[in-house]
């Protein structure tokens, strides 16, 4: 899996609003080391169509979980959206 190949603790894929595309694929992760788009692309090459690849990467701390211990995608999406909008300024 992508998580194992990159040595990540947690991983989540969400969409955030984008002016041109409507939504943009963002990968949120928790790990001890930084992650780059280049490292993700190297793993995805030949396994997933390029238009499905994440366009941005966001390190998320603390990892957003719900009361059942599962990924809270709404919180991850909000965190990714905030990070992306700050990066664009």
């Amino acid at each position: 899996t992508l998580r194992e190949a990159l040595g990540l603790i947690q991983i989540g894929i969400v969409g955030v609003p984008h002016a041109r595309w409507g939504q943009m694929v963002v990968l949120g992760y928790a790990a001890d080391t930084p992650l780059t788009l280049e490292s993700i692309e190297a793993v995805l090459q030949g396994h997933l169509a390029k238009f499905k690849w994440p366009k941005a990467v966001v390190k998320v701390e603390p990892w957003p979980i719900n009361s059942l211990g599962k990924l809270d995608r709404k919180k991850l999406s909000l965190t990714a959206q905030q990070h992306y909008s700050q990066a664009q300024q």
Side-chain angles (χ1 to χ4, degrees):
T1 66
L2 185 60
R3 187 178 84 187
E4 294 166 345
L6 296 171
L8 303 175
I9 298 168
Q10 297 288 345
I11 188 172
I13 305 289
V14 292
V16 298
H18 189 275
R20 181 175 173 200
W21 302 319
Q23 277 202 331
M24 176 178 73
V25 179
V26 177
L27 183 142
Y29 74 98
D32 296 329
T33 58
L35 181 63
T36 64
L37 278 174
E38 292 79 20
S39 61
I40 294 169
E41 291 170 358
V43 173
L44 294 178
Q45 193 92 31
H47 296 285
L48 190 65
K50 194 169 184 174
F51 74 91
K52 295 181 179 182
W53 292 3
K55 304 294 185 241
V57 177
V58 177
K59 185 171 185 177
V60 180
E61 291 179 0
W63 191 248
I65 56 171
N66 63 22
S67 59
L68 298 174
K70 295 183 177 185
L71 172 62
D72 187 332
R73 290 192 181 276
K74 287 182 183 178
K75 285 184 182 176
L76 179 59
S77 182
L78 288 173
T79 301
Q81 189 173 348
Q82 290 170 350
H83 183 291
Y84 179 69
S85 65
Q86 289 173 357
Q88 295 300 308
Q89 295 178 2

